[in-house]
Structure formats: C-alpha cells, structure tokens
Amino acid sequence: MKKRVALVLGSGGARGYAHIGVIQEIERRGYDIACIAGCSMGAVVGGIYAAGKLDEYRDWIESLDYLDVLRLVDVSFRLGAIRGEKVFGQIRKIVGEINIEDLRIPYTAVATDLTNQQEIWFQEGCLHQAMRASAAIPSLFTPVMQGNRMLVDGGILNPLPIVPVVSSHCDLIIAVNLNSTNQRHYKLPVIERPAAFKSRFNSLINSLGSKMPFRRTQAEQLLRLEKEALMAEAAEINPWIESAEPEAQQPAAAPERDGAPKSATGSFIIDNVGPASLLDLINQSFEVMQTSLAQYKIAGYPPDILINVPKRVCRFFEFYKAPELIALGREIARDTLDRYESERDS
C-alpha cells in the first residue's frame, strides 16, 4: 500500500523550481502526495501540481532562455520591480480558472497581510489569486490588493508552512526547505547558455534595483513583522532551539589562513561580493530572515523527512535556471529518501 504524504513546499524565489524535481522523485518511488501546503514559489508549484498541470508548467519553464525571461519582465517602479502580469498570465493559461476547493487534493497557500500584520491561509477560493498573493516577493513583485488588505509573500512570516498539514492524518510529512545553509557538497548542474543574454539579464536586474523606490513605511512594516515573528516563535518553542541549532550558539569563525572567509556557522561564503543593487540588497536581507524563520518552524514542528536545498546555489531572481534547479531538486530528494528508507528498513 502506498504511503500517503503531506508535502510542504517552502519559499525561496527561483530555487522553488527545485520543488518540481522533489515531486518527481517522490512520485517515482511510489509515494502518494495526499495534500500540499506551500509558500511563495512553493505555493505556485504546489498549486499547479494540485491542479494536475505540473508537466505542462515544467515544459514551459524549461523552454525559457534569457531572452524569454526578459520578455516576461513587465517593469513597475511602484511597490515592486515587476508587475508579474505576464508571468502569472501564462500560469493562468496553463492551469485555467479553478477554485482551491475543486482541486484533486487539499491545498493551502500562505501569504502575509501587511495591513493587519498577520499570516493568511488560502484554502478555498480562486487558486490563481492565492498563488499570486503568496508569491508577491517584496521588492520584486507588486503586492496583491484584496479589499483593504495588502498581501505579499508568505515567507515574511512563515517560509516553511508545516502547521497546515499537521492534522492531515497522512503517513509522512515531507518538508522542502529552500533556505538551507549546509549541504555544501551539492552543486548546480552546468548548462551552457549564450553569455550575451546572461549579461543582459543581470544588467536589467541591476538596473531595476538602482531605480526602484522603496518607501520607508513599507520597509518599517517588513522589519517590524520580522521582529515580532521571531520573538513569538522563540517564546513558543524555546526548548527546541538549543538542540535544533547548536551552530547558532557559536561565535563567528575567524577567516581561514588562506584568506577564504567563513560564515558564523563555519560554512564557506561562495560569493564574497556585496549586493549589486538595491533589489539585491533587499532580497538578500529577506533571505536571511527566511533562513532564521525556517529553522524555528522546523524545530517547532519537525517533519518526518526534511529535504534541504542550499540557498547558495542561485540568486533569488535567477528564474532562467529551471532545468538546473529541477535536476538538483531531484538529486537531493533521491539522496534524502535513500537515507530515510535505509534507516527505516534497518
């Protein structure tokens, strides 16, 4: 009999493509994905899977080169660098008009309501709107207005939404964390592309970052939400923290003799250059916040299987790397499930 899996897909920008490879490996082994909770790109991939359209979506994103991605960038200089209408318009074409309650499996998308400073769970209503709101990465995609609520990426408060599936009565909870700071031995597969197009893409991102206004009030809201979330989580699950994050208690390591810098957890910093633009700076700050919050969620609600995708493998907005990230997700899921099954059978 197939084991029923509750799948949790975390946020992490372009690294969310790795979720597709994870799903492929889970299904290849005969597990039955019975429900999904997702945040940001995890909500997008999870929603498309629940709608039965993941193969069509994968075929589309794997066909995109630098120039195709540039054509999908509808620039906005208001509350985000990109309106997202072209990208999500294509997703709407693939998925069609469908409500969450009509999906083949239970589904939850997590977003953040900036107006009321709270986490929002979408478990019914328009699937497209739920995915769009959950994936409204601050500074990159414009927020979604719903009545008097301003909805943005759920990763601000809950980058790994395990709680929505805890009561699912599945055999296993598998969570995919896209903000891991370990797993140093995994590398992104190399797929050669024309250097000219890559240069154009990087130039565009840097240009968006240098010209993009970022209102102080919005920045203050994000920082306040981050602080409140961390304090609430620390108070709730404090007994877990010492055992779950031993490295976090260590002081920052001194640089190695060969000059290669190390992070506070002892892992080598691959890119020793600072943010190239305001957009890059905001996204790097957002990732630091998500990494910390994800650790609290994992410690408080440990999944049966945790699949860790290292955040260093690509930048937040490198959405043209779908083939590489899908392959990497498949590889990490294979190794993780091999270890789990070996320990279970021993």
Side-chain angles (χ1 to χ4, degrees):
M1 184 175 176
K2 287 185 177 181
K3 281 193 176 292
R4 298 174 73 250
V5 167
L7 185 60
V8 181
L9 303 178
S11 66
R15 290 189 301 280
Y17 288 144
H19 290 317
I20 298 174
V22 171
I23 289 172
Q24 289 175 334
E25 183 62 22
I26 289 173
E27 290 193 320
R28 188 187 72 80
R29 290 172 180 257
Y31 293 98
D32 176 28
I33 298 174
C35 71
I36 286 183
C39 176
S40 194
M41 271 296 286
V44 173
V45 172
I48 294 171
Y49 173 81
K53 299 292 184 179
L54 192 60
D55 288 343
E56 292 92 326
Y57 177 68
R58 187 194 67 240
D59 290 343
W60 173 57
I61 60 174
E62 286 189 328
S63 72
L64 299 177
D65 61 19
Y66 293 116
L67 194 54
D68 295 322
V69 173
L70 287 175
R71 291 190 182 116
L72 290 169
V73 176
D74 43 3
V75 178
S76 167
F77 294 114
R78 297 185 62 193
L79 291 176
I82 301 169
R83 288 193 297 274
E85 292 173 8
K86 291 183 179 179
V87 173
F88 284 95
Q90 183 63 35
I91 292 174
R92 188 191 289 268
K93 286 181 186 177
I94 293 171
V95 174
E97 300 294 338
I98 186 170
N99 286 334
I100 294 172
E101 55 267 36
D102 297 324
L103 296 172
R104 57 199 177 99
I105 58 175
Y107 166 81
T108 303
V110 176
T112 299
D113 176 7
L114 279 183
T115 306
N116 299 299
Q117 301 182 18
Q118 62 184 11
E119 184 176 322
I120 302 294
W121 291 7
F122 287 93
Q123 295 179 317
E124 59 182 22
C126 175
L127 173 64
H128 180 81
Q129 187 177 47
M131 293 190 298
R132 176 65 180 85
S134 183
I137 302 169
S139 78
L140 189 59
F141 288 108
T142 54
V144 171
M145 301 305 300
Q146 190 182 75
N148 67 339
R149 302 192 301 188
M150 178 183 284
L151 302 178
V152 297
D153 196 307
I156 290 175
L157 292 178
N158 194 352
L160 196 62
I162 300 172
V163 176
V165 304
V166 167
S167 61
S168 64
H169 304 296
C170 289
D171 300 306
L172 293 171
I173 295 177
I174 299 179
V176 186
N177 173 30
L178 300 179
N179 295 286
S180 172
T181 54
N182 50 26
Q183 307 290 72
R184 282 168 40 193
H185 58 288
Y186 286 112
K187 294 185 179 2
L188 203 63
V190 176
I191 297 178
E192 293 298 332
R193 294 183 176 87
F197 287 148
K198 180 177 180 181
S199 176
R200 286 184 61 187
F201 181 85
N202 288 334
S203 296
L204 174 65
I205 292 297
N206 291 340
S207 174
L208 290 176
S210 63
K211 296 176 182 177
M212 181 189 66
F214 189 68
R215 297 190 305 181
R216 183 179 176 184
T217 53
Q218 186 182 4
E220 289 173 344
Q221 280 183 305
L222 294 177
L223 290 171
R224 185 167 59 251
L225 280 170
E226 174 190 354
K227 180 180 177 182
E228 290 174 356
L230 287 172
M231 289 178 66
E233 290 290 341
E236 179 183 354
I237 59 175
N238 184 60
W240 292 87
I241 303 304
E242 185 174 349
S243 59
E245 296 182 280
E247 291 182 330
Q249 313 297 328
Q250 304 295 327
E256 295 291 291
R257 291 186 179 180
D258 61 5
K262 276 193 170 185
S263 69
T265 58
S267 58
F268 283 97
I269 298 170
I270 305 300
D271 299 315
N272 54 8
V273 235
S277 64
L278 176 58
L279 180 63
D280 210 5
L281 172 64
I282 294 169
N283 282 327
Q284 285 189 30
S285 302
F286 186 43
E287 286 194 317
V288 169
M289 176 187 73
Q290 287 190 108
T291 300
S292 181
L293 280 173
Q295 289 301 317
Y296 283 116
K297 296 298 179 184
I298 293 165
Y301 306 94
D304 298 293
I305 301 173
L306 178 63
I307 297 173
N308 280 312
V309 177
K311 68 177 181 178
R312 61 171 172 75
V313 295
C314 80
R315 291 183 293 174
F316 211 69
F317 42 74
E318 292 181 314
F319 288 95
Y320 54 85
K321 292 186 174 180
E324 296 98 321
L325 287 160
I326 292 172
L328 181 65
R330 196 162 49 240
E331 177 189 0
I332 296 175
R334 183 187 66 236
D335 293 347
T336 305
L337 290 169
D338 278 347
R339 285 194 298 272
Y340 166 78
E341 292 171 359
S342 173
E343 291 170 2
R344 180 196 62 190
D345 297 336
S346 61

